[in-house]
Amino acid sequence: MLTESLVAAVQSAEKATDAVIKDIGIHIYDFQPIPAPKTVLKKSSAPTNCLAVSTSHIFTAQVQKAVVHVYSREQGNQEATVPFPERIHSLALAGDSDGAGILLLGTEGGRVILWELCTGRQVSTSQSHLQSTTCLAVDPTSNFFLSGSSDSNIHLWSIPALLSFSAQSPNDYSQQLPLSPLETLSNHRAAISALVFGHSSSSTNIAVSASQDNTCIVWDYTNGAALHTFLLPTSPLCLALDPADRAVYAGYEDGSIQLIDFYKQSSLTQALHDPTLQSTPTQPPPSDRWPLPIQSSSSALCLQLSYDGTTLLSGHQDGKVQAWDVAKGKYTSHIADFSAPVTNLYMLSPTGFPIQSRPHLKTPSIVKPRYESSLDGGNTTTSTVVPPNYTFTAQFNSNLPLPRFSTLSSSTIQPPTTFQAALTHPSFPPTLLQEGLASLTNTSLPLLPKTPITTTIPSTSTSQTTTTSSSPTPETTNALLTTQLANSQTQLQKALAELLRYKKETWQQMEREEVKAKAKKKRRLRRMRAEEARRKRVMGEEVGMEVDVEEDGEEEVSSSTDEMTPSD
């Protein structure tokens, strides 16, 4: 049975009277099949956009503090408290598909810190934002990330470029300063409240941003172009993107949810990439706004979609998690109540599949970051060499695959499979062609000879038989295939002749059945007219000669018998 769980991070209520409730900050909650609490982690108060979850750990930034709490998912306790020189206003995780990720931290000073969890290395970007970095989003390939700020700007960064040991020079072809953004998206006019990436790994992937200027913009982030602008009735606080990138959901301060459908407008091409529609902003219809019940109205601080995309979950200021039916477009039920503002929601990958994929690497414990002078206003350039104490610490979850060419003896190396041989062959292996011809003719043809070839070499005195173990020559293979093809054509011609004979016999049988039916109909008509003639004789009426007129104009005298006539 599939099991789906969520992680909910709350911000401790200042007026909470219960010490236990005030101490709990992270809830791991079963969502399907039956909603029920699973695990609680204490001593955390995370503001919005300050939760990151990996396969082994949970990270939360603390409100009004310059620390990050690290929790172990396996042990279910707090592993470490990591201090930083600035307050953290947003978190995001990159590159966790193999279990060894990079934690991105948006600071109060407008920078982004990259922390390698398995090495402890830190890299800080330049202070590109004029105000605090309020939200971060990482693309599915973990090559780029977006940073949004209260200064209304969005920056696009390259993760490989930031983590590279080769320092950039101002004289590079890009003419960019070291550790600077690739693009700046500046269409918004107020603070950025939410950022999300699409789910595609192609170059046509999209990103969506929400701002307090009551707009939501869809971006082609690779070139910094705004694909479409949506005008909203109020300021959106959070976003969640449909798994198929067909629509985005926005949460409002009154607790309602706004559906923004990307493809509601008719277009000959893809709506987002139609130049005739990009320059005109669109306002979603009022019917696409889903209200909460009056008694449950509270600000929607975070949104998450279920694995199948049919249920939308929203965390609210009053501590409740609500569920929405995406297909019906309405509120359905109340999931949980945590008695504190739910600021972050994260849906864990479902478990229970027959084949559950596991990451290749595992991080049993994170490596705390090392202090660098660049994080508190020092030089932001990086070294061109790998530091001497740079160590990667991780654990393999499975055995490493052996290389194709090994120093082991040839007897221990397994021969390639049929698929591997077909994959590496320059064209098509002869055995594969032979099997294809056999399946076409629905006969089992003999495979190519794999036994040694026996040839007879004539001599002046006697015939000498020589055995060679070499593989068939191309000429032999071509001759064999030609013979098999001729046999296949002969069998096909025989099958066609048999089919024509069967059709001819069927047609003749149908023709005989039709003649018999016409004769039976004529006999029935004769019997009816004979009965009519006898009736007239009894009644004393004059009986004339009855004539049977056929459809083809042929006439004959009726008979009272059922015997076949020559005309039949």
Side-chain angles (χ1 to χ4, degrees):
M1 179 182 295
L2 291 182
T3 303
E4 193 171 5
S5 304
L6 63 92
V7 179
V10 302
Q11 183 174 341
S12 299
E14 298 178 357
K15 298 182 180 180
T17 56
D18 193 342
V20 176
I21 295 177
K22 189 175 181 179
D23 195 32
I24 295 176
I26 300 176
H27 302 259
I28 301 178
Y29 206 86
D30 279 342
F31 171 59
Q32 289 180 354
I34 300 175
K38 188 175 181 180
T39 309
V40 293
L41 303 174
K42 300 182 178 181
K43 298 180 180 179
S44 176
S45 178
T48 306
N49 299 327
C50 288
L51 172 71
V53 182
S54 71
T55 55
S56 58
H57 291 83
I58 297 177
F59 306 87
T60 57
Q62 303 304 298
V63 62
Q64 299 299 324
K65 292 183 180 179
V67 296
V68 171
H69 288 185
V70 182
Y71 298 88
S72 173
R73 291 180 57 183
E74 289 187 354
Q75 301 178 4
N77 59 3
Q78 184 174 352
E79 181 178 310
T81 300
V82 183
F84 288 90
E86 295 183 62
R87 292 177 179 176
I88 307 301
H89 286 243
S90 55
L91 289 180
L93 191 68
D96 187 51
S97 59
D98 287 334
I102 301 163
L103 188 65
L104 310 179
L105 305 96
T107 67
E108 189 177 34
R111 291 184 290 179
V112 179
I113 300 174
L114 287 78
W115 170 20
E116 294 181 358
L117 300 176
C118 292
T119 65
R121 179 186 175 214
Q122 281 190 98
V123 175
S124 176
T125 66
S126 58
Q127 192 171 358
S128 300
H129 289 295
L130 302 179
Q131 299 183 38
S132 60
T133 306
T134 55
C135 48
L136 296 168
V138 182
D139 82 318
T141 64
S142 292
N143 288 326
F144 303 96
F145 73 90
L146 291 173
S147 62
S149 171
S150 300
D151 62 3
S152 75
N153 288 330
I154 301 172
H155 292 323
L156 175 66
W157 307 82
S158 170
I159 295 179
L162 294 175
L163 296 178
S164 174
F165 289 105
S166 300
Q168 293 182 358
S169 171
N171 297 324
D172 286 347
Y173 68 92
S174 59
Q175 299 297 324
Q176 294 177 339
L177 294 175
L179 305 179
S180 59
L182 300 177
E183 294 282 350
T184 298
L185 316 179
S186 56
N187 288 33
H188 288 293
R189 295 295 177 264
I192 308 299
S193 55
L195 288 171
V196 289
F197 267 103
H199 301 84
S200 172
S201 299
S202 66
S203 58
T204 59
N205 193 23
I206 61 173
V208 186
S209 63
S211 172
Q212 294 181 7
D213 60 1
N214 298 359
T215 61
C216 180
I217 301 179
V218 183
W219 302 90
D220 180 0
Y221 60 90
T222 56
N223 56 17
L227 299 179
H228 202 80
T229 302
F230 294 92
L231 305 179
L232 305 180
T234 183
S235 298
L237 302 180
C238 49
L239 293 176
L241 194 60
D242 178 79
D245 298 345
R246 300 167 299 182
V248 68
Y249 306 92
Y252 290 146
E253 192 171 356
D254 62 352
S256 61
I257 304 298
Q258 178 72 65
L259 167 64
I260 304 174
D261 192 346
F262 296 154
Y263 300 98
K264 199 149 194 173
Q265 291 181 297
S266 59
S267 174
L268 296 177
T269 60
Q270 192 178 19
L272 291 178
H273 297 275
D274 190 348
T276 61
L277 302 176
Q278 293 177 359
S279 58
T280 305
T282 304
Q283 186 171 3
S287 59
D288 287 345
R289 186 172 180 177
W290 310 337
L292 264 177
I294 298 177
Q295 65 274 15
S296 303
S297 296
S298 179
S299 300
L301 303 179
C302 52
L303 296 174
Q304 276 289 301
L305 278 161
S306 62
Y307 177 76
D308 56 5
T310 59
T311 304
L312 178 69
L313 300 181
S314 58
H316 293 262
Q317 182 72 31
D318 58 1
K320 296 181 180 179
V321 178
Q322 313 286 8
W324 308 77
D325 191 325
V326 172
K328 297 180 180 179
K330 65 177 183 179
Y331 166 82
T332 56
S333 62
H334 163 72
I335 299 298
D337 190 353
F338 299 127
S339 303
V342 182
T343 53
N344 298 271
L345 287 176
Y346 181 86
M347 296 298 297
L348 299 176
S349 299
T351 59
F353 289 107
I355 301 178
Q356 194 79 25
S357 61
R358 296 179 57 193
H360 299 293
L361 296 178
K362 175 183 176 182
T363 310
S365 60
I366 56 99
V367 180
K368 290 186 177 181
R370 297 184 298 271
Y371 174 78
E372 295 183 6
S373 60
S374 60
L375 299 180
D376 57 0
N379 185 15
T380 59
T381 59
T382 59
S383 174
T384 58
V385 297
V386 180
N389 58 347
Y390 186 77
T391 304
F392 186 89
T393 305
Q395 178 180 343
F396 290 106
N397 279 333
S398 59
N399 296 330
L400 293 178
L402 292 176
R404 185 173 180 83
F405 300 98
S406 175
T407 57
L408 300 176
S409 61
S410 59
S411 60
T412 61
I413 300 178
Q414 297 294 332
T417 62
T418 305
F419 174 75
Q420 292 175 345
L423 187 64
T424 57
H425 197 275
S427 58
F428 292 99
T431 54
L432 188 62
L433 293 174
Q434 194 170 353
E435 291 175 0
L437 290 173
S439 59
L440 285 176
T441 57
N442 198 18
T443 58
S444 58
L445 299 178
L447 297 177
L448 290 178
K450 296 183 179 179
T451 58
I453 301 176
T454 302
T455 58
T456 303
I457 304 176
S459 61
T460 57
S461 59
T462 60
S463 298
Q464 182 179 1
T465 302
T466 305
T467 302
T468 61
S469 60
S470 60
S471 60
T473 61
E475 292 78 5
T476 306
T477 303
N478 292 336
L480 181 60
L481 292 178
T482 303
T483 304
Q484 293 172 354
L485 182 59
N487 295 336
S488 301
Q489 291 176 350
T490 304
Q491 294 179 3
L492 183 59
Q493 291 175 356
K494 292 180 179 179
L496 290 175
E498 183 67 21
L499 180 61
L500 291 175
R501 185 187 63 80
Y502 174 75
K503 287 186 175 181
K504 184 177 180 180
E505 291 180 355
T506 304
W507 178 80
Q508 291 176 350
Q509 180 67 22
M510 292 176 61
E511 191 176 36
R512 287 193 294 268
E513 293 293 337
E514 185 178 358
V515 170
K516 290 181 180 179
K518 289 182 178 180
K520 186 176 181 181
K521 182 179 179 181
K522 290 180 181 180
R523 291 195 298 271
R524 187 170 61 252
L525 289 175
R526 291 192 187 98
R527 286 196 300 270
M528 293 174 61
R529 288 174 179 172
E531 291 293 335
E532 180 67 17
R534 283 195 295 270
R535 186 187 65 81
K536 289 183 178 181
R537 291 192 189 98
V538 173
M539 298 299 296
E541 298 178 1
E542 182 180 356
V543 179
M545 187 68 67
E546 298 292 336
V547 180
D548 204 1
V549 181
E550 301 295 333
E551 293 181 357
D552 55 358
E554 181 178 339
E555 300 181 356
E556 67 178 39
V557 179
S558 299
S559 175
S560 61
T561 64
D562 290 342
E563 297 179 356
M564 295 285 290
T565 63
S567 63
D568 293 340

